[in-house]
Amino acid sequence: MFAFGSYVIGNAVVASYAAFGAIAMLLPVDFTGPMRGRLRAQAVLGLAGAVLVCLGTLVSGVTWLAVLVMAAVAFFLLFVGAVSSVLASITTALLLAFIPPMVGGVPLSVLPDRLAGWGIATGVSVAAIGLLWPAHAREPLIGPAVTAIRALCQQVRRDVELLSDVGRSRATAEQAGRRTAVAVDRLRDIFIATPYRITGLTATARAMFGLVDELLWLDTIVKESVLPAVAGTLPRSAVDVRAAAATVLDEGAALLEARQGDLSPLRGAVVRLEATLAAMDDDATTLILRGGTATLQDARNETEAAGVFALLDPSFRSQAMAFSVWQIAWNIERAAAAEQRSMMGRLLGRERPNGIPNRFDVARKRAAAHAELHAVWLHNSVRGAAGLALAVAVADIASLQQSYWIVLGTLAVLRSNALNTGQNIARSLLGTALGSIVGGILVSVTVGQSELLWFVLPLAVLVAGLGPTISSFALGQAGFTLAVITLYTISRPVGWHLSLVRTEDIAIGCVVSIVVGIIFWPRGAEAAMGRAIADAYSTSADYLASAVEVAVGPSDGRENSRTAAAAARTFAAAARLDSAFRSYLAERGGKRVSLADKTTLLTGATHLRLVADAVVDLWERAVEPNEGNHAATLELVGSLRQVTVWYRDFASSLEDRGRAPEPLGHDEGFEERLVAALRQGLASERVRTARTAMRLIWTADHVNAARRLQDAVHSAAAGSSLAAPQASAPTA
């Protein structure tokens, strides 16, 4: 495009914008998904860039206006990435389109040439995506997710075969468990390695949101479903539920991989799963009424009460597994239904599958989740906007020869804390110096033979693109510097001093980024992550408390709305934690902190939220109304409050970097007290009352699961830098 603009069109402005636009729209951007969608996204990116080229040119002549517009546009482009990972991935490209025309006021007459160059770049970038090594539809998580689902399916099936005593050895089930661990670990690693959570505003992306969290939780449930020593000891109905869940996983994996397949096999498998759940509910009700010695009526002491819980434990674990599998199938089915819409339905947002929220509602909720004073995304957006606006002001006031490099330098090195900004400044200046030296040598030896630089240009762009991936940020900067020096030398031979000009401008931009990094929230990603984890545990504990209290007690619409509000706050906190975690990963550098501990804390908060979701589903699925049992409710809520208070104290210790409270451990006597309270309501052996008792016991199991989670998160907090070291135990 640079050759086309220079020699065919004969316009230096067109040539430079065509070349720079091609770099901006191809190097930092890599859309995924089907080819048709990628081409459409690339064209929309080009159109948005053209609008920003116009806006930048219009305001570039007035310094104060340029500063205000730069701040507003930069904040919008940076913050809107919270709504969608696709929008986040194009932020750099759009800023690269906006910055050059913003600085060094020029007459409005150059706008047509700039637009012509950018338009040529847009057309060529679309052609390059479609013609130069056109990739197949790529979704980074789909393949690993399918592999993990199939591994979980096989593990559940091997467990079912062992439990059904069909001649399978325990070693076969254990081997399936090892394969599952490998597949799930790979999915987790890929998921946390992405710079942004894989999200989007399309119906498919909205349906898939949260799939990885649900798979990780299902893996935990499957691991905790410990196999009995003797096959055949589980109730047949509980085994049937697990077998039906495995079938759902199998059909879900096939549909997720095909994306355009028939929905009826998965729907049929879900219907069979629901039928086996209903049968298991009936069997569990019969068990606690007439299941032998371990029944509610006969349990008179702690040992017998524990027997009642043990009697229902297989059914509890099976229904927890079924709920998790149902959530996974729900997401896969709606994602596939969204993919199978007509082209007009996709473009206009119509024919949306049932259960998928409106994209504007989703965008509003995601944006609102990050519009909070301590949100990392808000910090980075404000910091970036302030830094770029200040850089525009300095560039206009200084009136340097290539002043827009001040702004580009600020964009290149600005990060979320002053320390990391300094590290990137060193890399940026090192790369710039290296590129300047190589560029100066090339310019000197090619005087009068500038055609030789045409061979250097593609190599320099190649290094600029590959450098950060294969080596370091500094190498990418060196390649970018060399590419720009080559472009300017070909179009306007001025000698090697151009490299010194750019080094000076980059240095000024680095100083600007340091000042902004110090002024705005200089505590860094480590502290921000501590606050985000604390917020996630606190809101998840509130959600669990609300879910249980509303489910087991008399409720009205206001109580249900309270649970919905708690769920919304938990969702917002989870979104902030996710962005803080990824910011921490991006800036982790050489910290001597176990990433496994940080990941455990992250997944622990997610699992606590999903436990609350499971409680809500357990009681919403009940056919009969809740037969209230005041005494049993008081016992359950009392144990629940111990758990939620612990998590709130744990959250406070993370935020204040204090000492985490010791895990509560098993609640001695709770099972006996709850069973005694339930026994009083079963004198008439009414089936409806027995079903309520069964769900109360299962709810208590969910609360106990949250209690057991305390050991893992407490250990992770002690191993991370987010909590104070534990004091040694006092000697006798």
Side-chain angles (χ1 to χ4, degrees):
M1 286 304 96
F2 190 59
F4 181 77
S6 298
Y7 296 114
V8 178
I9 298 178
N11 186 309
V13 175
V14 172
S16 60
Y17 269 77
F20 196 73
I23 291 174
M25 283 187 278
L26 288 173
L27 281 189
V29 179
D30 185 22
F31 293 112
T32 60
M35 177 58 70
R36 181 171 51 190
R38 297 210 299 272
L39 294 178
R40 183 171 64 244
Q42 197 73 25
V44 172
L45 172 61
L47 179 61
V51 172
L52 292 175
V53 169
C54 293
L55 180 59
T57 304
L58 288 172
V59 303
S60 64
V62 184
T63 300
W64 67 267
L65 182 60
V67 170
L68 291 178
V69 172
M70 182 76 254
V73 170
F75 177 79
F76 175 78
L77 292 178
L78 292 169
F79 186 75
V80 78
V83 171
S84 165
S85 59
V86 176
L87 296 176
S89 68
I90 65 175
T91 297
T92 299
L94 292 177
L95 287 173
L96 288 176
F98 188 57
I99 288 172
M102 273 284 295
V103 184
V106 294
L108 197 57
S109 59
V110 303
L111 180 57
D113 293 339
R114 289 178 169 181
L115 285 177
W118 188 268
I120 292 172
T122 299
V124 170
S125 70
V126 171
I129 293 296
L131 300 177
L132 297 180
W133 299 291
H136 297 291
R138 292 172 294 120
E139 296 289 353
L141 291 177
I142 295 298
V146 169
T147 302
I149 292 172
R150 286 190 169 136
L152 285 164
C153 170
Q154 290 303 313
Q155 182 178 357
V156 173
R157 280 183 171 159
R158 297 294 85 80
D159 291 351
V160 167
E161 290 171 356
L162 182 59
L163 294 170
S164 301
D165 196 13
V166 295
R168 295 284 182 177
S169 66
R170 181 178 294 274
T172 304
E174 293 174 348
Q175 185 180 19
R178 288 191 292 271
R179 287 195 298 267
T180 300
V182 171
V184 172
D185 287 345
R186 179 171 178 267
L187 174 64
R188 181 191 294 111
D189 292 343
I190 294 175
F191 178 61
I192 67 175
T194 56
Y196 312 107
R197 188 183 183 98
I198 308 299
T199 60
L201 292 178
T202 64
T204 304
R206 279 173 279 153
M208 294 298 297
F209 184 79
L211 179 67
V212 176
D213 290 337
E214 291 151 7
L215 285 172
L216 297 180
W217 189 46
L218 175 61
D219 178 56
T220 300
I221 293 173
V222 171
K223 286 178 179 176
E224 290 184 349
S225 298
V226 181
L227 299 177
V230 180
T233 57
L234 257 67
R236 182 70 246 176
S237 58
V239 177
D240 290 343
V241 168
R242 298 185 185 205
T247 302
V248 172
L249 290 174
D250 195 15
E251 297 293 348
L255 183 58
L256 181 60
E257 187 173 40
R259 301 290 288 274
Q260 296 286 341
D262 184 10
L263 301 179
S264 57
L266 178 60
R267 289 173 174 170
V270 170
V271 170
R272 290 191 292 274
L273 175 62
E274 292 172 345
T276 59
L277 271 175
M280 188 183 71
D281 284 357
D282 292 338
D283 285 354
T285 303
T286 302
L287 277 174
I288 63 175
L289 284 175
R290 294 177 293 277
T293 57
T295 63
L296 280 175
Q297 293 97 327
D298 299 328
R300 304 290 172 175
N301 55 48
E302 185 174 351
T303 301
E304 292 172 347
V308 174
F309 272 74
L311 190 70
L312 290 179
D313 185 69
S315 301
F316 162 71
R317 296 189 182 279
S318 293
Q319 67 88 22
M321 184 184 299
F323 168 69
S324 180
V325 169
W326 183 87
Q327 288 281 88
I328 293 168
W330 186 90
N331 281 321
I332 293 174
E333 178 187 337
R334 280 149 186 78
E339 284 288 321
Q340 296 177 14
R341 293 178 298 168
S342 65
M343 175 59 71
M344 290 304 298
R346 294 188 193 182
L347 290 176
L348 300 178
R350 296 175 180 173
E351 306 171 22
R352 190 172 71 251
N354 293 332
I356 296 182
N358 182 280
R359 69 175 64 188
F360 298 107
D361 290 339
V362 172
R364 177 180 54 80
K365 290 179 180 178
R366 291 179 184 172
H370 293 278
E372 195 267 345
L373 184 60
H374 297 298
V376 169
W377 206 288
L378 178 66
H379 290 190
N380 290 341
S381 301
V382 172
R383 181 179 299 109
L388 292 173
L390 181 58
V392 168
V394 172
D396 271 14
I397 293 172
S399 299
L400 298 176
Q401 186 176 353
Q402 302 294 335
S403 55
Y404 59 81
W405 285 114
I406 296 176
V407 192
L408 289 179
T410 305
L411 175 64
V413 302
L414 190 63
R415 292 296 186 268
S416 69
N417 65 75
L419 174 61
N420 194 260
T421 297
Q423 295 170 351
N424 280 280
I425 284 172
R427 299 188 190 107
S428 181
L429 289 177
L430 175 62
T432 300
L434 178 61
S436 299
I437 292 171
V438 176
I441 294 173
L442 288 173
V443 169
S444 300
V445 301
T446 57
V447 174
Q449 297 177 318
S450 60
E451 63 274 6
L452 295 177
L453 293 175
W454 286 101
F455 296 94
V456 176
L457 180 59
L459 295 176
V461 175
L462 184 66
V463 172
L466 286 179
T469 302
I470 65 175
S471 178
S472 66
F473 176 70
L475 184 60
Q477 280 290 99
F480 194 50
T481 300
L482 182 58
V484 173
I485 291 174
T486 305
L487 285 170
Y488 274 90
T489 304
I490 292 174
S491 61
R492 294 193 298 271
V494 293
W496 66 274
H497 71 276
L498 175 67
S499 61
L500 296 181
V501 171
R502 193 202 170 204
T503 302
E504 178 188 63
D505 294 345
I506 282 285
I508 295 175
C510 292
V511 172
V512 170
S513 66
I514 272 201
V515 171
V516 174
I518 292 174
I519 293 175
F520 291 96
W521 296 285
R523 294 177 62 185
E526 181 82 23
M529 185 177 174
R531 291 193 300 270
I533 292 180
D535 189 28
Y537 276 100
S538 178
T539 55
S540 295
D542 291 343
Y543 178 33
L544 177 62
S546 177
V548 174
E549 290 171 1
V550 170
V552 302
S555 63
D556 53 24
R558 288 176 298 177
E559 293 294 324
N560 292 330
S561 64
R562 180 166 69 91
T563 303
R569 289 192 297 272
T570 304
F571 167 82
R576 291 191 292 271
L577 172 57
D578 188 82
S579 63
F581 181 64
R582 293 173 197 277
S583 177
Y584 168 79
L585 289 180
E587 302 183 11
R588 200 162 60 97
K591 292 186 179 70
R592 293 172 296 176
V593 178
S594 170
L595 180 59
D597 290 329
K598 290 289 197 301
T599 305
T600 299
L601 288 172
L602 182 77
T603 56
T606 301
H607 289 179
L608 190 61
R609 170 174 57 85
L610 292 173
V611 166
D613 285 340
V615 171
V616 172
D617 175 78
L618 173 65
W619 291 90
E620 286 182 346
R621 195 165 45 84
V623 178
E624 300 90 353
N626 181 7
E627 287 284 321
N629 186 317
H630 183 66
T633 299
L634 287 179
E635 291 294 342
L636 179 56
V637 170
S639 179
L640 167 73
R641 286 176 178 166
Q642 291 179 9
V643 173
T644 54
V645 166
W646 186 92
Y647 277 108
R648 293 187 187 108
D649 292 342
F650 179 70
S652 298
S653 71
L654 294 179
E655 186 168 11
D656 301 335
R657 304 179 73 86
R659 184 171 300 158
E662 290 294 327
L664 295 175
H666 181 66
D667 186 1
E668 297 292 341
F670 166 66
E671 294 171 350
E672 181 182 3
R673 296 192 303 271
L674 180 62
V675 167
L678 292 172
R679 188 176 62 244
Q680 297 175 4
L682 283 176
S684 61
E685 296 191 8
R686 294 175 57 193
V687 172
R688 180 180 297 180
T689 306
R691 287 189 185 277
T692 297
M694 174 189 69
R695 285 187 169 80
L696 285 170
I697 292 175
W698 282 351
T699 303
D701 281 327
H702 280 302
V703 174
N704 287 336
R707 186 186 290 266
R708 290 192 301 271
L709 181 63
Q710 293 173 0
D711 289 322
V713 300
H714 179 271
S715 177
S720 72
S721 58
L722 298 180
Q726 298 298 308
S728 58
T731 56

